Amino acid sequence: MKKAHLLGFIQHGVNSHATGMWRHPKDKVGWSFARPPYWEHMARTMERGFFDAMFIADELAPYNSYRNSSDATVKWAVQCPTHEPSTIAPIVTGATTHLGVGVTLSTAFEHPYSMCRRLSSLDHLSGGRIAWNIVGSYSKSEWDAYGAPMDDRSRRYDRIEEYVELCKTLWDSWEPDAIVADRGSGIYADPTKVREIVHDGEFFRCHGRHFVAPSPQGHPVLWQAGSSDRGRDFAAKHAEAIFAIHPDIAGMKAYSEDLSRRVVDRFGRPENSVKLIYGVQPIVAETRSEAEDKYAFIRSLMPPEGSMAMLSGQLSVDFSLHDPEALLDDVAAPGIQGVKDALVRSGAGEEVTLREAAETYSSRFAMPALVGTATDIVDQLETFMDEGGADGFMLLATYTPGCFEEFADLVSPEMQRRGRLRTAYAGRTLRDNLLQD
């Protein structure tokens, strides 16, 4: 029987994805997101719930597409303020024994050489529990903040492909027996076994040796979220886990079948070697009516203007220029196409307006909201696994740390009772645990 892999979706900020959650009376009571104890507690909670990892999402600058300004983003705390994601990785892994950390790091503004060095260093510090969520920056605000013109979207994956291939070459440049560490002779490492990389590509140049000896995993676990045809190919070629957003079982099933074909037939990788992780937002309570009331209250906290600013930022469209009752499918969006497609499908066959899309996106992307008792939620998770092809789930936060405490206390035990969640970790590295059946 397939066991689920669990990732806790969070941001290093005052508010994660669910807009308005900082207002919730249970959010961060007695905690500060800017201090280590909060992250230590969150990490121990996820490990208690037998999660594979904490997934730290990121945005590099406040969204500024709405009214051509970031005012609404700042005013309504729309994923703002947000701190740099990799800085908390040593805190999270230092507080736990098995929990991994996936950090979202953009390929847009950092050279592959420094990216490799940072990730190898983190993998050493964590004892091999780091993953890299590979992204290319998509929102106008990020390019504005870095003083650069937005890249050519049609060439984005060409650049990312070269970036990741160079990273892999650097990580693989140390042979396993390169370190001699002979105190008598004074020789630490054999330079003939540490290759100097000479790369002169279309987008990057690099002449040098990787500055960090091989880390426990060799290289971080590679995560990706490919939704376009080219993105799916990139994910099928490189990723060890793929994160996708589909609002229904039909979308999950079609995506699972497509990615599995690409992994095996197009790129010759072993069957079931890539874990498919689908996003869900669990709202759990002791009774179904209590869970429904809880979800209604959560939705009431979302500011309409903040929601629209968030959607504008994600899709790089100023939705203040459009009628809120206009159909989302009628508006061209240069941002993340998979987000738009999922939001359109979230209408369950009905037309989705901009207002509805903004409300949906700012509360739960376009992930299914699982509202009910632990039994109700595990029933749905099992269906997504057995019929949708899911290998695991990205659990979208509401108020923290309470939403993860509730999942660990109520849902994880129910999953274990049904044989759907591990009762012990397979190993010490994230890759060991992610590959656990």
Side-chain angles (χ1 to χ4, degrees):
M1 183 180 294
K2 183 191 289 187
K3 290 181 172 61
H5 294 271
L6 302 176
L7 306 178
F9 188 101
I10 201 75
Q11 279 189 275
H12 188 187
V14 69
N15 206 59
S16 289
H17 185 84
T19 305
M21 284 307 96
W22 68 273
R23 303 171 59 196
H24 198 287
K26 292 185 178 181
D27 187 72
K28 299 180 187 66
V29 177
W31 301 104
S32 167
F33 85 88
R35 301 296 302 151
Y38 170 74
W39 295 105
E40 292 166 347
H41 175 76
M42 192 97 74
R44 291 179 185 126
T45 298
M46 291 184 187
E47 188 165 81
R48 177 163 57 82
F50 289 92
F51 287 39
D52 285 65
M54 181 184 295
F55 180 100
I56 307 173
D58 196 31
E59 171 71 19
L60 295 179
Y63 298 125
N64 66 1
S65 294
Y66 187 76
R67 300 191 188 281
N68 198 32
S69 167
S70 57
D71 283 358
T73 301
V74 173
K75 180 178 181 179
W76 302 109
V78 180
Q79 296 178 292
C80 176
T82 296
H83 294 185
E84 202 280 334
S86 67
T87 52
I88 56 174
I91 296 170
V92 169
T93 56
T96 54
T97 304
H98 301 283
L99 188 75
V101 179
V103 290
T104 299
L105 297 171
S106 174
T107 62
F109 309 110
E110 181 172 358
H111 193 278
Y113 188 84
S114 63
M115 180 71 77
C116 282
R117 188 185 188 198
R118 186 199 315 188
L119 287 166
S120 291
S121 300
L122 290 172
D123 202 51
H124 274 292
L125 288 170
S126 67
R129 288 187 277 148
I130 296 297
W132 175 24
N133 179 38
I134 306 165
V135 298
S137 291
Y138 57 86
S139 68
K140 174 181 175 292
S141 61
E142 295 177 308
W143 295 89
D144 287 349
Y146 281 83
M150 228 172 157
D151 66 350
D152 179 356
R153 190 180 177 200
S154 68
R155 300 297 313 280
R156 187 170 297 174
Y157 272 107
D158 294 331
R159 185 180 183 279
I160 297 175
E161 180 78 35
E162 183 181 330
Y163 193 108
V164 172
E165 291 289 1
L166 176 52
C167 285
K168 287 182 171 181
T169 301
L170 286 163
W171 282 319
D172 292 341
S173 63
W174 285 64
E175 294 183 21
D177 58 349
I179 296 178
V180 178
D182 186 335
R183 294 182 185 274
S185 67
I187 296 174
Y188 183 76
D190 183 347
T192 66
K193 296 183 178 182
V194 184
R195 288 185 295 118
E196 184 172 12
I197 304 306
V198 178
H199 177 90
D200 292 298
E202 181 179 0
F203 300 97
F204 302 102
R205 297 184 66 212
C206 178
H207 295 183
R209 288 184 167 101
H210 185 35
F211 214 8
V212 184
S215 67
Q217 296 187 118
H219 63 76
V221 173
L222 301 181
W223 289 347
Q224 223 274 321
S227 55
S228 66
D229 183 68
R230 183 69 190 278
R232 292 183 185 205
D233 268 353
F234 178 83
K237 180 179 179 181
H238 294 287
E240 297 167 82
I242 298 173
F243 168 42
I245 298 172
H246 293 284
D248 50 40
I249 291 177
M252 293 179 190
K253 184 174 187 294
Y255 188 88
S256 297
E257 292 173 350
D258 180 55
L259 263 293
S260 296
R261 281 193 300 267
R262 292 177 194 244
V263 166
V264 176
D265 298 339
R266 191 166 297 182
F267 297 104
R269 300 175 66 186
E271 190 174 357
N272 299 320
S273 61
V274 179
K275 299 299 183 184
L276 299 177
I277 310 295
Y278 292 114
V280 297
Q281 186 178 58
I283 312 292
V284 64
E286 295 287 354
T287 67
R288 192 173 300 172
S289 62
E290 182 185 350
E292 290 169 350
D293 290 345
K294 181 188 292 188
Y295 186 46
F297 180 63
I298 285 170
R299 294 180 67 182
S300 75
L301 298 174
M302 296 185 299
E305 185 184 43
S307 297
M308 199 65 79
M310 186 171 191
L311 186 65
S312 291
Q314 284 280 312
L315 298 184
S316 296
V317 175
D318 183 359
F319 286 117
S320 72
L321 302 176
H322 297 266
D323 182 349
E325 300 308 314
L327 300 183
L328 176 64
D329 209 22
D330 292 341
V331 180
I336 303 177
Q337 188 61 39
V339 168
K340 180 183 176 184
D341 293 343
L343 284 167
V344 170
R345 293 198 309 275
S346 72
E350 299 180 3
E351 296 175 328
V352 177
T353 67
L354 298 182
R355 177 183 54 77
E356 292 166 336
E359 179 181 309
T360 297
Y361 188 79
S362 65
S363 65
R364 55 182 175 90
F365 284 131
M367 300 176 182
L370 310 185
V371 183
T373 65
T375 298
D376 294 331
I377 288 173
V378 180
D379 285 346
Q380 294 175 82
L381 295 179
E382 285 193 303
T383 301
F384 294 155
M385 294 169 73
D386 296 340
E387 298 181 24
D391 294 308
F393 302 98
M394 185 80 73
L395 307 178
L396 186 63
T398 52
Y399 53 86
T400 59
C403 66
F404 294 116
E405 293 169 338
E406 292 161 358
F407 193 96
D409 291 338
L410 298 174
V411 183
S412 288
E414 178 63 22
M415 295 179 74
Q416 289 172 324
R417 278 192 287 273
R418 301 190 196 188
R420 291 299 198 168
L421 181 65
R422 63 167 64 94
T423 56
Y425 286 94
R428 296 298 291 267
T429 73
L430 176 55
R431 186 172 284 114
D432 288 340
N433 294 320
L434 190 66
L435 295 177
Q436 183 179 7
D437 292 327

